[in-house]
Amino acid sequence: MKVSKKQIGVYRADASSCNGCDIEILAALVPRFRLHELGVKVVTQPEEAGILLVTGGGNIKIDNDLKKVYERIQPPRIVVAIGSCAISWEAFSEGYSIAGPADETIPVNAYVCGCPPRPQAIVAALASLLGKEIEEKEDFWHAPPDFRGKPDLDPEKCTACGACEQACPTRAIEISEKNGKRSVKYLFGKCSYCRTCETVCPDDAVKLTQEYLLVFKDRKEATFSADIELLRCPGCTSYSLSPRQIKRALKTIEENVKGYAQFLEQIKKAMGLCLDCRRKIQNVKEAKHLLFQLRAKALEKSH
Amino acid sequence: MVETIKIGPYHPALLEPQVFNVTVKDGKITNVDMELGYAHRSIEKLMTTKTYNQNVFLAERVCGICSAAHSTVYCETAEKLFDVQAPDRARYIRTIFFELERLESHYLILALLSHSLHEEEYFGKILSERELLMDLFELTTGNRVHYAFNKIGGVRVDLTPKTVQKMKNVTTELRKLSTHILQAFGDKGAFTTKIKGKGILTKEKALALGAVGPTLRGSGVKSDTRKDDPYAAYGDLNFEVHVGSDGDIYDRHFVRAKETIESILIIEQALDNLPEGPIQEEVGAPLETQALGRVEAPRGELIYFAKSDGTDVPERVKIRTPSFANNYSYSEMFLNQELSDFQLVLESTDPCFSCTDRLIIVDQETGKKKLVSFSALERRG
């Protein structure tokens, strides 16, 4: 065990966090995480510290005090934002009482994503900031198989249907359209790692991986995006749906209403239409009839 | 000599940001004025902007140490609105995680107690052994702090025979730890002499000030929501409610230490009797009604009220956290205590301010926002 001669003080400032990240910083003091090997000492006065760990993004009442604490830290003042709240206020981003996030109040040097990040990630982040390395040989450094870590999107499977965007409790998934492509963007700094997107995804395109070390120097880097190509609407030539989404919907229809194979061609035609064009369908009677029959079949099945 | 000392918002004695204006006369505390609001995150308002399913994760994030308690009581309250009942297996799994969390929370405050008493050996031992629990949470739910195992109508995480066995191994280990901690509370224990007779809250005062949880039980009142109004699977399980006698710091922590043993017993019973079957129930649309749910969180009785207008977004969610109820008893506990014991008395109720901060006033004319302290509210009636 090597202990460096010069110790660096670490001060933890709780800026309206839920305590989750604070507990994990406390847990990082357990010898097995080897925080002491980094020459790091947790201190109780900001004046003794060179590193500031911020948890929570700060609300309108604590904001000024956070600034004062930052000024009391010894220069060059390394600030690490711990957890999604410090980075983007996560689930609370639309609240009326919140200020920040942390980097709008004080300069931040590194962002550690997670809700909360594992103590392993906090220690590893500190190590990389200090230019040191820690051995990660033992089992507990690896996340267990069902760990809810970095979300991974498979662009080959994703149909950009938007189910995950709708269900996400923290609005960490953004879907936008540009140049005939729909882009699905995951914000790691806003994610609560709750696995809702994985549960709702109809195509098994999203998986929460075991990767837990999500440390970034810039908040904007903490994203992942995938572009999905869209088809042109045969009616008005504007972009509407992705070909995979149409394929999946057709497959579902084929499986569930086998008796109506003769309608499949008509449905296929109607599928490619954008929402505006569907409203303008000429033969209303035909469409209504189709809907009626589909519903009757579904009812029959449920009885 | 009378002087008023401002402690906070950032102070070595405080784990969370808050301000205490302490009036001291001749070295003894005569008055304590709390100023909260440093952790207010507008959760109740946010709950009315998200759907019922999304709110499960928001409820978890009210407090990082009561994640299972908040999500369980939220789900049970919502289940009344949706008129569904969680399957038996889900009820048992909820109970198991609930008690594992109580263990984790009680061990944490006991570790902090030993740190405050400069018993670093206990501090290190409790924190290190607590990692067994944290690893268990990570293995079964995928995260160490926010478990995300609850959903309306059941649970999202199932227990396999392998994890059940693992849990049993952990509880066997933890029983040794709890026995070791209880030794420190013995006649000549490391903790006993330092905290006995300090910060007394009498039975009458505890009831009058509306204390809950280990704070109330420490004062000798046998009150436990798990027994009084069983939820999850507590109705099927046997356990005892421990109470203290004098209502001092010692009693409050001693009750917690004894509860850890009781929690281990509950977990073992629940694991042995874990019913087979589904873990989730289908849910439809909520009824146009209102519901109340209450549970015994590690810090005391936690109450949720929810009102539905038939849409997928709740009309109102009201949360009454245990720390909010316990804060009033500080007025009694701090009286005539040495200023040097401030931290010990404060920690004796295991306060959690992240869930307690709840009021913000917006001045309509200027649009300026400010948070209001409890004392200012009292003055206004």
Side-chain angles (χ1 to χ4, degrees), chain A residues 12 14 16 18 23-24 32 59 61 69 90 95-97 115 118 147-148 166-169 192 194 196, chain B residues 10 17 36-38 40-42 50 54 61 64 130-131 135 138 141-144 146-147 156 360 369:
Chain A
R12 169 187 66 88
D14 176 341
S16 335
C18 78
I23 299 167
E24 293 300 72
R32 73 166 176 167
N59 72 3
K61 194 166 181 179
V69 165
E90 207 197 75
Y96 55 80
S97 66
C115 188
R118 303 175 89 199
F147 183 74
R148 286 180 273 122
Q166 284 283 320
C168 179
S192 64
C194 63
T196 304
Chain B
Y10 290 117
L36 297 177
Y38 291 96
H40 183 81
R41 298 190 301 280
S42 46
K50 294 177 194 276
Q54 291 175 339
R61 281 158 183 79
R130 184 174 160 273
E131 285 297 309
D135 284 349
E138 200 170 40
T141 67
N143 194 298
R144 290 162 52 99
H146 290 309
Y147 317 124
R156 301 166 81 199
I360 197 159
K369 294 170 182 172

Side-chain angles (χ1 to χ4, degrees), chain B residues 241-259:
Chain B
V241 178
H242 293 287
V243 290
S245 49
D246 305 334
D248 52 7
I249 301 178
Y250 170 85
D251 271 339
R252 289 192 277 279
H253 283 305
F254 191 36
V255 164
R256 282 190 195 103
K258 281 200 275 194
E259 274 179 16

Side-chain angles (χ1 to χ4, degrees), chain B residues 192-352:
Chain B
T192 314
T193 46
K194 293 177 182 167
I195 52 174
K196 194 95 182 142
K198 285 178 183 170
I200 289 174
L201 180 72
T202 59
K203 193 174 179 178
E204 293 73 31
K205 282 283 178 188
L207 286 168
L209 291 167
V212 291
T215 310
L216 182 62
R217 290 196 284 275
S219 296
V221 183
K222 208 165 194 171
S223 155
D224 192 321
T225 317
R226 290 176 292 173
K227 271 268 192 261
D228 305 339
D229 184 9
Y231 53 94
Y234 287 104
D236 312 346
L237 306 166
N238 291 320
F239 61 97
E240 252 183 78
V241 178
H242 293 287
V243 290
S245 49
D246 305 334
D248 52 7
I249 301 178
Y250 170 85
D251 271 339
R252 289 192 277 279
H253 283 305
F254 191 36
V255 164
R256 282 190 195 103
K258 281 200 275 194
E259 274 179 16
T260 57
I261 297 262
E262 217 58 49
S263 291
I264 292 168
L265 279 174
I266 296 175
I267 295 164
E268 284 173 347
Q269 278 179 56
L271 286 174
D272 286 337
N273 302 319
L274 193 65
E276 292 296 323
I279 56 166
Q280 291 176 8
E281 197 72 49
E282 285 275 321
V283 286
L287 308 171
E288 215 171 300
T289 179
Q290 50 194 30
L292 187 85
R294 54 181 194 150
V295 297
E296 186 75 17
R299 280 152 196 77
E301 187 185 31
L302 169 66
I303 305 173
Y304 264 61
F305 166 82
K307 192 177 174 210
S308 152
D309 54 1
T311 61
D312 62 346
V313 176
E315 194 182 347
R316 175 81 172 103
V317 179
K318 168 83 193 130
I319 311 170
R320 207 297 308 271
T321 57
S323 293
F324 180 76
N326 281 336
N327 282 342
Y328 292 96
S329 46
Y330 282 142
S331 63
E332 193 63 24
M333 280 180 213
F334 276 121
L335 277 189
N336 293 322
Q337 299 301 310
E338 301 277 342
L339 187 61
S340 53
D341 289 336
F342 177 83
Q343 192 180 352
L344 281 178
V345 179
L346 180 71
E347 277 176 4
S348 70
T349 70
D350 195 2
C352 168

